[in-house]
Amino acid sequence: MKGRNRRKCSYTLSLTISCAIAAVIWAYGLIRDGEVSRWLSDTTQKAQAAIATVQSVWEKREYDSDGSGIAGMEIQTMDFGVSDGKGQEEENTVGIPLNGADKPEQIRDEASEADAEDAAEETEEAENEVLELYEAERTYFDDALFIGDSRTVGLQEYGNLGNAEVVADLGMSVYKIFTKKFPTVSGEKKRLETVLTERQFGKIYLMMGINELGYDFDHTVAKYKEMIEKIRQLQPQALIFLEANLHITEKKSASSPIYNNENINRFNEALAQMADEKTIFYLDANVLFDDEAGNLSEECTTDDTHILARYYPEWTEWILQHARKTDSSVGAMEPDLLF
């Protein structure tokens, strides 16, 4: 009996020792092959990298000016995968969430773009806005300035322009408009530039061109544009009305190769092209005084060039019927963008 027990114990001890030796050999083989060491090393390095990244991001955080969020925080992608024996690893995404929103820089950029789009739409709407045409009272001329030649002198003397300022003279042209002194409503003679800088006008009426027909056409057109640009610089808020030159009679037109209705129409067409019908408007009052052939009616004149005094009030009323509602924000524009 004792022998059997002894053999049983010996067998159990041998089995235990064999299992222990086998476990040691198996563990030694894993360690020798480096699988356990590589797994421990990789996992340790990845954990350390993750901790370092989170610490770096946290230390470098920047708060928005209003303190409502963290600026510059990017979501970090870090690998905490464990080898599955096939060299494939899983990726886990960690980071500091921003209340489910995009990064503040993106939010600000998108807001700026939205503001820019809104501003562009408002600018486009303002540019496309057409000022309403209406019939105004005489007080419409309270902030008006009329600039021109003998026809404008006639308007001042016979047309009842109310409280409008007038800068006009016989034979006036774009070549002399800024060099001559004119009598003003105050009784004092002043240059046009002085008049334009002393007060703000809501609307400015220009009528010149017939006295310039003997000059080079292109040069005269260029000078007219320069005049408008200078007026715009000095009066950026004012609406500008370009008045067509009145025709002369058929007899007068046929007598001159220069001062004729063909050349007048040519210049009037150039004026019409300068108008944008937004801040610069074209007015052609020839419809009031022309005959069926498009010449100044002989019934309206005695010198074949100027209308009779009794027709100037009709002209003034026609101007008031073609008034435009003004707005202090409408007339402003860059002078170099006019033409």
Side-chain angles (χ1 to χ4, degrees):
M1 176 66 78
K2 291 182 179 180
R4 276 198 303 270
N5 290 337
R6 191 179 295 110
R7 283 195 300 272
K8 185 176 181 180
C9 290
S10 177
Y11 175 79
T12 301
L13 179 62
S14 298
L15 181 59
T16 301
I17 293 173
S18 298
C19 290
I21 293 173
V24 171
I25 293 174
W26 175 78
Y28 176 78
L30 289 178
I31 294 173
R32 183 192 59 194
D33 290 341
E35 291 178 5
V36 174
S37 61
R38 281 197 301 271
W39 177 80
L40 290 174
S41 177
D42 289 346
T43 302
T44 300
Q45 291 178 0
K46 291 169 185 175
Q48 290 175 345
I51 293 171
T53 302
V54 173
Q55 288 177 342
S56 176
V57 171
W58 181 257
E59 291 173 356
K60 294 181 180 179
R61 66 189 185 280
E62 297 176 357
Y63 287 87
D64 289 336
S65 58
D66 61 356
S68 61
I70 300 175
M73 300 292 286
E74 295 185 1
I75 294 177
Q76 303 292 325
T77 300
M78 292 176 284
D79 181 9
F80 284 108
V82 179
S83 174
D84 60 359
K86 298 181 180 179
Q88 297 179 350
E89 298 176 337
E90 298 177 354
E91 291 185 351
N92 296 312
T93 301
V94 300
I96 302 176
L98 297 175
N99 299 325
D102 292 335
K103 295 182 293 183
E105 294 90 337
Q106 293 176 329
I107 296 174
R108 287 194 293 270
D109 291 343
E110 291 173 359
S112 298
E113 292 177 0
D115 291 341
E117 291 177 358
D118 291 341
E121 290 178 359
E122 292 176 359
T123 301
E124 184 178 357
E125 290 176 359
E127 291 176 350
N128 293 330
E129 181 181 3
V130 178
L131 296 187
E132 181 181 349
L133 182 70
Y134 75 106
E135 183 173 356
E137 301 293 334
R138 191 77 51 179
T139 53
Y140 180 77
F141 292 142
D142 287 353
D143 65 346
L145 170 63
F146 285 80
I147 304 171
D149 51 30
S150 58
R151 273 76 174 274
T152 302
V153 173
L155 268 176
Q156 180 184 27
E157 294 179 348
Y158 309 111
N160 186 11
L161 297 177
N163 295 322
E165 182 66 88
V166 179
V167 173
D169 199 3
L170 305 180
M172 186 48 54
S173 71
V174 295
Y175 295 99
K176 299 185 294 181
I177 191 63
F178 287 107
T179 61
K180 182 179 175 63
K181 286 187 175 182
F182 302 87
T184 62
V185 293
S186 66
E188 183 182 356
K189 285 190 173 183
K190 300 178 181 180
R191 296 185 187 277
L192 174 58
E193 187 170 353
T194 302
V195 174
L196 292 171
T197 55
E198 285 183 338
R199 58 175 289 197
Q200 175 66 52
F201 294 99
K203 64 279 300 185
I204 298 175
Y205 292 84
L206 301 173
M207 187 176 186
M208 282 181 287
I210 194 169
N211 295 313
E212 294 90 328
L213 293 181
Y215 294 83
D216 178 78
F217 176 80
D218 292 334
H219 186 56
T220 298
V221 171
K223 291 293 290 184
Y224 207 105
K225 290 179 178 180
E226 290 178 7
M227 177 181 65
I228 297 175
E229 290 175 357
K230 187 167 184 178
I231 291 172
R232 175 62 77 206
Q233 289 175 348
L234 299 174
Q235 293 284 325
Q237 305 299 327
L239 300 180
I240 296 177
F241 296 85
L242 307 182
E243 296 185 87
N245 290 277
L246 296 185
H247 293 140
I248 57 180
T249 63
E250 183 179 8
K251 179 177 64 175
K252 181 74 172 179
S253 179
S255 67
S256 173
I258 297 175
Y259 298 100
N260 55 57
N261 287 330
E262 181 180 357
N263 287 336
I264 291 174
N265 288 335
R266 182 188 182 197
F267 192 79
N268 285 346
E269 289 174 1
L271 293 182
Q273 292 177 2
M274 297 180 199
D276 58 13
E277 298 302 318
K278 297 172 185 175
T279 61
I280 303 177
F281 302 89
Y282 177 69
L283 293 178
D284 189 351
N286 280 298
V287 294
L288 298 175
F289 314 116
D290 278 359
D291 58 23
E292 294 180 355
N295 304 298
L296 176 61
S297 174
E298 293 185 0
E299 297 178 355
C300 297
T301 183
T302 56
D303 65 357
D304 298 317
T305 303
H306 300 88
I307 62 175
L308 295 171
R310 66 174 180 266
Y311 290 107
Y312 281 99
E314 182 181 350
W315 185 1
T316 302
E317 291 299 325
W318 184 86
I319 292 175
L320 289 173
Q321 292 169 6
H322 291 76
R324 301 280 180 168
K325 289 188 176 179
T326 58
D327 186 333
S328 61
S329 65
V330 171
M333 81 170 16
E334 295 294 334
D336 58 351
L337 298 180
L338 283 173
F339 305 104

